[in-house]
Amino acid sequence: MIYSIGMNTVDYHGHKTAVYENQFFRLECLANAGPRIVRLIPSWTGENLFAEVPDLVTSTENGDYRPYGGHRLWNAPESVHYSYIPDDDGLTIKQYEDGIRLQGCIEPITRLRKTISIQMSSSHPFIVVKHIIENQGWTTVRLSPWALTMMHPGGTAILPQQVGAVDSETVLPNRRVAMWPYSRWEDARLKLGDDFITIKSTSNPQPFKIGYFNPHGWLAYYYDDTLFVKRFGVRRNEEYPDFGCNTECYTNHRFTEIESLGPLVDLHARKEVVHTETWEVYRENEIPGDLLGGKKVKDIIG
């Protein structure tokens, strides 16, 4: 059973939050801004797995954009003009028996409206997070739904790799990687392995970002003996943004962001696109053996 303990009594750095929890998690969402999930606290740790960056501001021609921290919904490809649109007010929250729906206002420039729907399992430590982008404008928009989660600093992102041939063709390539202009191959935080790419969160302020097509449909972040896993659908025959990326990871000294993307779509007026993630959280000794190919998480991160 999931229940609210009040939308006006819990504080997130001066902002009101709606709080929902069960025996596995305490989850907090901004009550007025976003949509934004700012805290995910496992019952066995009592600590937020998400990064909290309420002071972080990006000044743009549209005004000051605040990521706040935690989990948000954007649309790719990223654009200075269309991505950083302030969402500090106008949020509405609707509670259901098994979850909540966070609906943002219609963006004044893009005419897009973003909604995050959250359902917790009452029997297992996982959460279904549905991301919805509606086109409330009058013209078709080409975009990809993009789910970004800012993780607590000090952990390690784990990105599974394609192993073996694609469609039994051993003469064809099976991996491609996208790098951003500020990223460097020699970055000490990056470890390229045959089965996994890992990216450590350190005090290095230099940003780093990498992306790729991930056929496994999951990515993870390991922090303080806890593994956070995001699962998502994979569509091999559809086009993705950023040189074909459905998985991306960004890091600096404040947070590490693990990101999943849906295929590019031509979103017609008064239509919507949905991108769903399933979140799983495990204690280190409870990580399913098949998830990491039989390997121990500490052997993977080194």
Side-chain angles (χ1 to χ4, degrees):
M1 178 67 179
I2 302 168
Y3 56 91
S4 169
I5 63 171
M7 290 177 54
N8 300 316
T9 58
V10 180
D11 177 80
Y12 179 81
H13 305 277
H15 300 276
K16 296 176 182 178
T17 63
V19 180
Y20 292 84
E21 61 185 347
N22 61 11
Q23 67 267 39
F24 301 109
F25 303 117
R26 175 188 177 95
L27 185 149
E28 298 183 23
C29 310
L30 292 185
N32 301 310
R36 203 80 86 248
I37 306 171
V38 290
R39 288 184 176 128
L40 176 63
I41 304 173
S43 59
W44 59 90
T45 70
E47 183 177 7
N48 188 12
L49 291 179
F50 294 166
E52 301 185 13
V53 289
D55 59 316
L56 191 61
V57 178
T58 299
S59 296
T60 76
E61 60 189 31
N62 303 317
D64 289 343
Y65 177 81
R66 295 171 175 81
Y68 291 105
H71 183 80
R72 70 186 186 276
L73 170 60
W74 265 8
N75 51 281
E78 186 172 359
S79 163
V80 173
H81 182 67
Y82 293 110
S83 298
Y84 298 82
I85 298 176
D87 57 357
D88 298 324
D89 51 38
L91 185 82
T92 59
I93 299 180
K94 186 172 183 178
Q95 182 178 355
Y96 299 91
E97 182 179 353
D98 59 349
I100 57 174
R101 183 181 176 96
L102 313 172
Q103 187 171 78
C105 61
I106 299 173
E107 296 176 351
I109 296 173
T110 66
R111 305 299 298 174
L112 299 176
R113 180 162 61 192
K114 299 181 173 73
T115 299
I116 297 178
S117 177
I118 308 157
Q119 292 178 296
M120 285 189 181
S121 168
S122 60
S123 57
H124 296 88
F126 69 80
I127 302 169
V128 177
V129 185
K130 184 180 293 185
H131 307 84
I132 305 163
I133 301 178
E134 303 170 70
N135 182 359
Q136 293 294 325
W138 303 273
T139 60
T140 299
V141 180
R142 187 158 179 80
L143 59 79
S144 163
W146 183 13
L148 307 93
T149 310
M150 304 170 78
M151 304 303 299
H152 194 293
T156 302
I158 301 174
L159 312 178
Q161 292 299 291
Q162 172 78 46
V163 178
V166 178
D167 298 329
S168 301
E169 281 287 357
T170 58
V171 296
L172 295 178
N174 68 349
R175 279 159 287 185
R176 58 183 174 186
V177 175
M179 292 281 278
W180 272 250
Y182 46 80
S183 300
R184 298 292 180 267
W185 283 115
E186 65 270 19
D187 195 304
R189 294 167 293 187
L190 173 68
K191 177 183 175 183
L192 298 174
D194 290 332
D195 298 326
F196 303 96
I197 290 175
T198 60
I199 300 168
K200 287 187 178 294
S201 172
T202 72
S203 59
N204 184 353
Q206 173 65 30
F208 175 87
K209 186 170 184 178
I210 193 170
Y212 70 111
F213 182 80
N214 176 357
H216 298 282
W218 68 267
L219 65 161
Y221 189 80
Y222 179 74
Y223 171 75
D224 195 22
D225 297 328
T226 299
L227 188 71
F228 172 78
V229 180
K230 302 207 307 181
R231 296 187 188 270
F232 53 94
V234 177
R235 300 179 185 176
R236 286 182 175 271
N237 297 322
E238 297 194 32
E239 183 183 0
Y240 286 85
D242 301 340
F243 299 154
C245 293
N246 67 353
T247 295
E248 297 174 359
C249 181
Y250 171 94
T251 192
N252 61 23
H253 63 299
R254 300 287 305 275
F255 59 87
T256 292
E257 209 162 50
I258 56 175
E259 312 165 3
S260 74
L261 301 95
L264 286 162
V265 298
D266 291 318
L267 189 59
H268 300 290
R270 303 303 190 268
K271 298 296 182 180
E272 67 180 34
V273 62
V274 179
H275 176 66
T276 301
E277 291 184 336
T278 300
W279 297 353
E280 304 167 9
V281 184
Y282 300 102
R283 299 175 177 89
E284 183 176 353
N285 61 359
E286 297 176 348
I287 299 172
D290 58 346
L291 179 67
L292 301 178
K295 295 185 177 181
K296 299 292 186 181
V297 65
K298 288 185 178 176
D299 293 334
I300 292 172
I301 66 176

